[in-house]
Amino acid sequence: MDKRMGSLVMIAVLMLVTRRWIGVEARPAVERRNLLANGLGMTPPMGWNTWNHFYCNINETVIRESADALVSTGLAKLGYRYVNIDDCWAEHDRDSKGYLVPRKSTFPSGIKALADYVHGKGLKLGIYSDAGSRTCSQTMPGSLGHEQKDAETFASWGIDYLKYDNCNNGDLKPMKRGDMHPDLWADKLGNSWRTTMDINDSWESMVSRADQNEVYAEHARPDSWNDPNMLEIGNGGMSNNEYIVHFSLWAVSKAPLLIGCDVRNLSKETMAILGNEEICSVFKRRRTVVVLLNRSPEFRIITAQWDDIGIPPKTIVEARDLWKHATLKKRFVNKVKANVPPHACKMFLLMPLPLSE
Ligand SMILES: *[C@@H]1O[C@H](CO)[C@@H](O)[C@H](O)[C@H]1NC(C)=O
Ligand SMILES: *[C@@H]1O[C@H](CO)[C@@H](O)[C@H](O)[C@H]1NC(C)=O
Ligand SMILES: *[C@@H]1O[C@H](CO)[C@@H](O)[C@H](O)[C@H]1NC(C)=O
């Protein structure tokens, strides 16, 4: 998947209006509408995707069990409602009429049955295709030249979300389309787009994706979200603190929160991260949040000035630690700072207090 930077087209239903960046004031939702003002994706998508843990080793059983797990763990209630099938779900070739065919050996009941199952649990089903002749795995056809037919097929199955990759495109430009910068054109086509190459389950990869994504912060807004790729939390390649950083950075960036581990077998630690109810709640709303990140291998005092965050000078602020689940007794003026362990972060919800007299 995504050996080329994929564009991600999303058809989604989400809730409340959001937005506040580190230091960047949001454009109000009404100020700018994209062509796909479809009312979907008002907040960034949340759910689960097969790729980061299972790669091509998927089938209808693991997808049903994962849907079950999203509900039984309580993650669905927090907003993780998309169950997204990534690459490798179809037969190698189209049928004689040109339709994509679910792979018989792994999806014997077909995708429509899976959509019905997932919908029956109050969840949504996502699927994957590619703008080229074959998908990135090469195991199934891409949609190039079959776009209309495939869109109709997905609609007839009851698909709620499409991830659209960009492998094997014969060097066709995504547009007179502005080449590999979906932030510049994709808001007319989808609700979310990739801003980075694929992530892997390592600290270096994760923080570099966050850095690359940050460049496009100005382009993110309700209906149109930057995607630094799916979550690796729970896959075992990072420390617990590093996974906390991963979740904090994705949440504060309003990135899609698409879980990429085996949700049928979540450790307590992983559940405490993905299931952080306060962060999931803040993520969906317009709030002022700051992440103090220590990238270094030693403890560091990290400071954020009100000036950097867009809070008026002299404002007195109450801070809630979203990982400790505690409101700090101390009030902050002009800045907030903390002593942060190596490869770790603090995440504070900042609540300006009304000026007295
Ligand atoms: C379905 O996929 C899962 C995850 O890769 C695997 O553990 C399981 O054996 C597969 N089941 C079948 C019936 O192939
Ligand atoms: C993961 O990504 C990092 C940084 O992008 C890279 O240095 C590393 O080689 C990658 N690891 C694997 C296993 O691909
Ligand atoms: C479940 O997760 C644990 C680690 O948290 C791992 O050791 C174990 O192998 C996993 N079990 C399965 C069936 O994947």
Side-chain angles (χ1 to χ4, degrees), residues 260-299:
C261 68
D262 186 352
V263 287
R264 303 169 307 171
N265 181 32
L266 291 170
S267 69
K268 237 175 55 208
E269 292 75 19
T270 300
M271 186 60 201
I273 299 173
L274 299 171
N276 184 319
E277 192 167 355
E278 288 195 73
I279 292 179
C280 291
S281 164
V282 158
F283 171 76
K284 293 178 210 149
R285 292 175 169 80
R286 188 186 173 94
R287 293 287 184 274
T288 304
V289 171
V290 67
V291 174
L292 304 178
L293 165 64
N294 182 3
R295 302 163 182 260
S296 85
E298 291 128 35
F299 269 84

Side-chain angles (χ1 to χ4, degrees), residues 6-168:
S7 55
L8 176 59
V9 178
M10 219 261 296
I11 305 162
V13 182
L14 289 148
M15 298 146 275
L16 299 153
V17 186
T18 338
R19 273 246 6 178
R20 185 89 154 133
W21 222 263
I22 321 186
V24 181
E25 177 59 53
R27 279 171 258 230
V30 291
E31 184 189 310
R32 178 172 172 184
R33 301 213 62 109
N34 59 53
L35 285 188
L36 194 79
N38 53 12
L40 310 175
M42 288 306 287
T43 61
M46 294 175 75
W48 171 81
N49 173 292
T50 51
W51 186 260
N52 282 355
H53 190 83
F54 294 102
Y55 303 98
C56 275
N57 303 314
I58 56 170
N59 53 58
E60 61 185 44
T61 309
V62 75
I63 287 159
R64 280 208 192 97
E65 289 174 357
S66 298
D68 294 348
L70 286 176
V71 174
S72 66
T73 55
L75 287 171
K77 247 194 320 211
L78 295 179
Y80 296 95
R81 295 174 66 211
Y82 286 99
V83 175
N84 291 353
I85 309 171
D86 210 282
D87 203 349
C88 307
W89 59 269
E91 291 287 0
H92 187 271
D93 296 307
R94 291 173 183 273
D95 71 10
S96 58
K97 296 197 177 109
Y99 288 100
L100 290 168
V101 184
R103 200 188 285 181
K104 285 259 162 20
S105 60
T106 48
F107 291 88
S109 315
I111 304 296
K112 172 78 166 69
L114 206 46
D116 291 345
Y117 183 84
V118 164
H119 291 158
K121 307 197 79 89
L123 303 174
K124 309 252 170 205
L125 191 69
I127 208 161
Y128 168 99
S129 190
D130 184 284
S133 56
R134 297 196 73 75
T135 61
C136 296
S137 71
Q138 309 268 5
T139 65
M140 58 175 277
S143 290
L144 183 61
H146 301 265
E147 291 85 355
Q148 182 70 26
K149 187 163 246 169
D150 291 352
E152 285 166 10
T153 301
F154 299 152
S156 77
W157 289 340
I159 296 290
D160 302 290
Y161 180 122
L162 173 66
K163 171 176 175 175
Y164 207 50
D165 219 328
N166 195 25
C167 286
N168 306 305

Side-chain angles (χ1 to χ4, degrees), residues 306 313-317 331-336:
W306 282 185
K314 306 229 170 81
T315 309
I316 301 171
V317 167
R331 300 292 154 88
F332 297 88
V333 188
N334 291 331
K335 64 185 178 216
V336 59

